């Protein structure tokens, strides 16, 4: 999980989870993170989250955006980075993953079994490090296997986010558990770890 700890004049105001592909930051009430100060532009900056990480972008603000005291236009955020917007300081926090796989988990094979649609009943072994599923322009996801033999699903492109077990995903990669049902615009698939 990633989050921003919002400080104003040295006082923590709140913590905000980064749970969308794009978070807008600025003075206007329509922003995801509203910073009510005259040094902050109406639509000041944005945080874009992709498979590569979270990036802070200055959106042509009047007073600019800095990270760790350096002016930026675009910056890949690292754990502990401090974003400066006027008198506000937003500290980027990245949760550390301390997962250690068991010996049996490392030998398991990931599979996708199609449940609905024209290919219902078909199975695909996830033998490559990264596999993409879906239809370009409609909805595409990738499933990536890490060194611990865990499988992560990530949104790549599309008009809507996929659903996992009937719950809509967001831009952040998510760990798949055996039995999870992936819904790609009405085509359902089950992830299996055997």
């Amino acid at each position: 999980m990633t989050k921003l700890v919002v400080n104003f004049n040295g006082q923590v105001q709140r913590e905000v989870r980064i749970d969308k592909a794009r978070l807008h930051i600025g003075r206007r009430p329509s922003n995801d993170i509203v910073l009510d100060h005259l040094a902050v532009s109406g639509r000041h900056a944005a945080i874009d989250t992709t498979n590569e990480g979270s990036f802070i972008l200055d959106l042509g603000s009047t007073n600019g955006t800095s990270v760790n005291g350096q002016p930026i236009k675009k910056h890949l955020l690292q754990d502990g980075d401090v974003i400066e917007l006027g008198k506000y300081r937003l500290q980027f926090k990245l949760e550390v993953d301390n997962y250690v796989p068991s010996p049996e988990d490392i030998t398991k094979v990931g599979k996708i079994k199609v449940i609905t649609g024209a290919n219902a009943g078909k199975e695909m072994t996830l033998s490559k490090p990264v596999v993409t599923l879906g239809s370009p322009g409609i909805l595409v996801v990738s499933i990536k296997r890490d060194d611990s033999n865990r499988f992560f699903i990530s949104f790549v492109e599309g008009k809507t986010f996929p659903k996992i077990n009937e719950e809509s995903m967001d831009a952040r990669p998510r760990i798949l558990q055996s039995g999870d049902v992936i819904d790609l615009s009405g085509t359902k698939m089950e992830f299996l770890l055997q």
Side-chain angles (χ1 to χ4, degrees):
M1 177 182 88
T2 55
K3 65 182 178 181
L4 292 172
V5 179
V6 181
N7 288 279
F8 182 73
N9 286 336
Q11 299 292 316
V12 174
Q13 289 197 324
R14 63 188 181 275
E15 293 185 2
V16 179
R17 284 186 57 214
I18 299 174
D19 58 2
K20 295 170 60 175
R22 175 168 267 208
L23 281 176
H24 284 103
I25 305 168
R27 200 172 63 240
R28 287 190 205 126
S30 60
N31 288 292
D32 299 295
I33 300 173
V34 178
L35 304 178
D36 190 18
H37 192 269
L38 291 176
V40 177
S41 294
R43 184 65 59 118
H44 196 107
I47 295 181
D48 284 347
T49 301
T50 68
N51 291 340
E52 288 82 41
S54 293
F55 295 84
I56 179 78
L57 297 99
D58 184 85
L59 299 177
S61 65
T62 302
N63 294 315
T65 302
S66 295
V67 175
N68 303 326
Q70 298 299 313
I72 60 96
K73 292 292 179 201
K74 181 177 181 180
H75 175 81
L76 175 62
L77 292 166
Q78 305 296 319
D79 185 43
D81 278 354
V82 176
I83 303 162
E84 300 159 25
L85 306 159
K87 294 198 181 250
Y88 281 89
R89 305 289 178 265
L90 290 73
Q91 186 172 31
F92 181 76
K93 295 278 196 173
L94 186 61
E95 190 173 276
V96 178
D97 183 5
N98 294 320
Y99 174 77
V100 177
S102 68
E104 62 195 39
D105 287 341
I106 292 176
T107 61
K108 291 184 178 178
V109 175
K111 293 185 177 183
I112 292 290
K113 181 179 181 180
V114 181
I115 301 171
T116 63
N119 293 315
K122 290 190 178 181
E123 284 190 13
M124 175 176 59
T125 300
L126 301 172
S127 56
K128 296 179 183 176
V130 179
V131 174
T132 57
L133 302 170
S135 300
I138 298 172
L139 179 58
V140 178
V141 296
S142 67
I143 298 177
K144 179 180 178 182
R145 183 180 66 224
D146 73 1
D147 295 337
S148 326
N149 205 36
R150 288 186 302 174
F151 292 81
F152 293 80
I153 186 167
S154 298
F155 172 78
V156 175
E157 70 164 316
K159 298 173 183 160
T160 61
F161 285 109
K163 292 182 180 177
I164 308 292
N165 302 325
E166 301 298 324
E167 181 184 313
S168 186
M169 262 186 76
D170 55 34
R172 295 171 296 148
R174 178 171 165 167
I175 298 171
L176 287 170
Q177 304 295 327
S178 191
D180 280 350
V181 175
I182 304 163
D183 184 342
L184 300 180
S185 300
T187 301
K188 293 186 178 182
M189 307 168 203
E190 183 177 14
F191 172 75
L192 302 168
L193 197 55
Q194 303 171 330

